[in-house]
Amino acid sequence: AESARLGDQHVPTPRTRNIDWQQELDYMLDVYFRDRHDIVLDQWRAADLYPAINAPEFLIDSNWQHGGVIESGSLLSIDNSNSPPEVGVVYYTTDGSDPRLIGGAVNMATASSFVSDVTLESTTLIKARVHNNGDWSALTEALFIVPDADFDQNGVVGGADFLAWQQGFGISVATTADGDADSDGDVDSNDLVHWQSSYGSSTDSAIASAASA
């Protein structure tokens, strides 16, 4: 059955899993997928289907990261790989709007030019593009999630929040109030880990209330 599946009838030497199949797997993982990204982009650019300017990329605390869970206070950097040494200006937003307006103008109402690291204190949707001489790169968009285990939003992560997590455990369409600390839409063991790591801490809402008192 294995010989038939591998098509041995078409070759003089029977194929084997540990040689033929493994070699092809290694090629796909180590070469094909590595190179395919640039090949496809070049094909799209040749057909005028993709901008000539490279899109920006995100780093968190100097490490490449495209969205996902981060700690409060993490530093966001935006890399512009267009050279030499950097062609164009990186514009980004933190409110979910596009840095580029319809028609091609810079969205001056919400977009900022990236000049230094941005501190992310809470869950933030970042959108960024490179702008150069009227041309724009494709949009880079990522949601960076700062876990919030203050499920009852009383300003302190405590026992009541653990109870909320217990009651919400297993919900597949969840909100923060249900016990979803990492905003992935469900309540699971990962949310419990976030509650454990922040147990006893005061949240931004509590600090703000204390400051205004």
Side-chain angles (χ1 to χ4, degrees):
E2 184 73 5
S3 295
R5 186 173 68 85
L6 294 174
D8 286 351
Q9 71 273 24
H10 300 297
V11 294
T13 302
R15 294 187 174 100
T16 67
R17 177 189 181 280
N18 293 335
I19 297 178
D20 299 88
W21 181 84
Q22 188 63 52
Q23 287 179 347
E24 184 66 17
L25 177 63
D26 291 342
Y27 165 76
M28 295 296 291
L29 294 178
D30 298 337
V31 178
Y32 181 85
F33 291 122
R34 180 198 65 195
D35 297 342
R36 189 61 182 162
H37 176 270
D38 291 337
I39 292 173
V40 171
L41 284 184
D42 288 342
Q43 290 172 336
W44 288 351
R45 282 169 170 156
D48 200 24
L49 296 174
Y50 193 85
I53 304 172
N54 294 327
E57 296 184 82
F58 299 141
L59 299 91
I60 292 293
D61 297 330
S62 300
N63 297 307
W64 300 106
Q65 183 172 336
H66 189 82
V69 175
I70 61 173
E71 294 183 359
S72 178
S74 295
L75 297 179
L76 168 73
S77 296
I78 305 178
D79 180 70
N80 177 6
S81 63
N82 297 282
S83 60
E86 286 189 1
V87 173
V89 177
V90 175
Y91 286 98
Y92 72 96
T93 64
T94 59
D95 67 345
S97 61
D98 194 324
R100 175 190 182 276
L101 292 175
I102 295 175
V106 177
N107 188 350
M108 301 303 295
T110 60
S112 301
S113 59
F114 178 77
V115 293
S116 61
D117 291 349
V118 179
T119 302
L120 300 180
E121 301 285 358
S122 58
T123 296
T124 307
L125 176 61
I126 303 292
K127 294 187 177 183
R129 294 181 188 266
V130 178
H131 182 248
N132 183 54
N133 294 329
D135 295 325
W136 288 91
S137 74
L139 179 69
T140 300
E141 173 182 346
L143 179 66
F144 293 97
I145 300 168
V146 176
D148 179 10
D150 181 20
F151 304 131
D152 59 7
Q153 298 297 298
N154 71 343
V156 179
V157 178
D161 301 304
F162 176 69
L163 179 60
W165 174 85
Q166 279 187 316
Q167 293 174 335
F169 183 76
I171 294 178
S172 58
V173 182
T175 64
T176 300
D178 297 316
D180 180 18
D182 54 13
S183 301
D184 65 350
D186 59 26
V187 180
D188 55 20
S189 59
N190 292 328
D191 302 304
L192 177 61
V193 171
H194 293 308
W195 174 85
Q196 290 172 323
S197 64
S198 57
Y199 177 77
S201 63
S202 297
T203 61
D204 291 341
S205 58
I207 295 172
S209 297
S212 62

